[in-house]
Amino acid sequence: MQIKCFTVGAFQVNTYLLVDEPTGAAAIVDTGETDELVKQLCAISPVPDIQMILLTHGHLDHAGGLVALQSRFDVPTYLPRKEIPLFETLPVQGDWFGQPAFNRPCGRIDYLVEDGDEIQLGNTTLRFISTPGHTPGQGCYYDEQDIFVGDTLFYGSIGRTDLPMGNSAIMQHSLQRLMQLPGHLRVHSGHGPVTTIAHERQHNPFLTFLRQA
Ligand SMILES: [Zn+2]
């Protein structure tokens, strides 16, 4: 699978273009909050054969650009089922940060994914693991080499749990499960650089609770 990262918008969120190379089938992971990603995708020649949009969670910097993206790429869109309550707050999330200019319409969701679900992208099978805590239903999509974790895990850090619907105890459980995945997996986060499961297992200061066992 070929991966290209586009860091977009005021929140500098990482969005990803995934291409299953033999078939050319492409997916987008997260949207940013503007139409910047759409512009970048349309500047690629030829424009990728985007067949699906995968959302990790419902925060405005990850899902707020959905309507803009769907207006150009009208393809099936996936959201973690438990994320619906947060996703539905997109029209008011800007207000939470005192930035009503960031309020966004919700966009259309076609499929609700749950832990263990599999999604076929050309010849690539993407699996979904539910990792709530940063939000009520955030989850990650992964194949044998790469995992897209949204704001669950960062290089040397983890997602905050102090925003509405966050929960730190649930987050710890999610991180515990995530760290049981193969160490070689390259971790593509919602913000910041690429890392691996093994690197974070060993060095992430927010995961010391796992190493004390
Ligand atoms: Zn977030």
Side-chain angles (χ1 to χ4, degrees):
M1 194 167 60
Q2 195 185 33
I3 296 160
K4 190 164 168 46
C5 176
F6 300 89
T7 305
V8 298
F11 301 88
Q12 290 291 284
V13 69
N14 293 334
T15 63
Y16 297 94
L17 170 67
L18 285 46
V19 181
D20 173 62
E21 281 174 304
T23 65
I28 296 295
V29 177
D30 289 344
T31 69
E33 87 284 4
T34 66
D35 61 354
E36 190 180 334
L37 175 62
V38 182
K39 288 176 181 157
Q40 297 223 34
L41 292 170
C42 291
I44 302 172
S45 178
V47 174
D49 178 18
I50 291 164
Q51 302 190 355
M52 62 185 71
I53 300 166
L54 308 172
L55 299 174
T56 60
H57 66 298
H59 274 148
L60 70 92
D61 52 336
H62 292 258
L66 183 58
V67 171
L69 195 58
Q70 287 177 335
S71 71
R72 175 60 181 80
F73 302 100
D74 187 17
V75 295
T77 301
Y78 294 74
L79 178 77
R81 180 179 293 278
K82 289 189 291 183
E83 197 65 357
I84 297 172
L86 179 69
F87 180 76
E88 288 180 341
T89 66
L90 272 176
V92 298
Q93 278 185 32
D95 295 339
W96 295 355
F97 306 98
Q99 300 273 358
F102 286 122
N103 290 336
R104 291 287 183 274
C106 281
R108 189 195 71 246
I109 300 298
D110 302 288
Y111 296 103
L112 295 169
V113 284
E114 297 186 60
D115 194 67
D117 281 356
E118 294 185 350
I119 299 167
Q120 202 63 31
L121 176 69
N123 295 337
T124 300
T125 302
L126 293 168
R127 290 192 68 192
F128 177 78
I129 177 171
S130 179
T131 55
H134 172 66
T135 64
Q138 170 156 239
C140 313
Y141 303 89
Y142 65 102
D143 71 354
E144 288 83 18
Q145 298 298 330
D146 296 278
I147 183 163
F148 301 86
V149 298
D151 291 350
T152 303
L153 179 69
F154 302 115
Y155 176 81
S157 188
I158 61 171
R160 58 193 287 188
T161 55
D162 59 329
L163 293 170
M165 303 187 210
N167 183 306
S168 62
I170 291 175
M171 182 67 153
Q172 291 211 336
H173 179 249
S174 293
L175 290 164
Q176 204 165 4
R177 287 192 66 209
L178 201 58
M179 286 303 124
Q180 285 161 9
L181 292 178
H184 71 266
L185 281 181
R186 287 183 295 248
V187 175
H188 305 270
S189 300
H191 305 268
V194 178
T195 182
T196 64
I197 294 286
H199 181 90
E200 297 311 309
R201 216 187 262 151
Q202 198 175 350
H203 299 291
N204 190 312
F206 295 90
L207 299 178
T208 47
F209 73 95
L210 294 176
R211 299 193 282 270
Q212 283 159 357

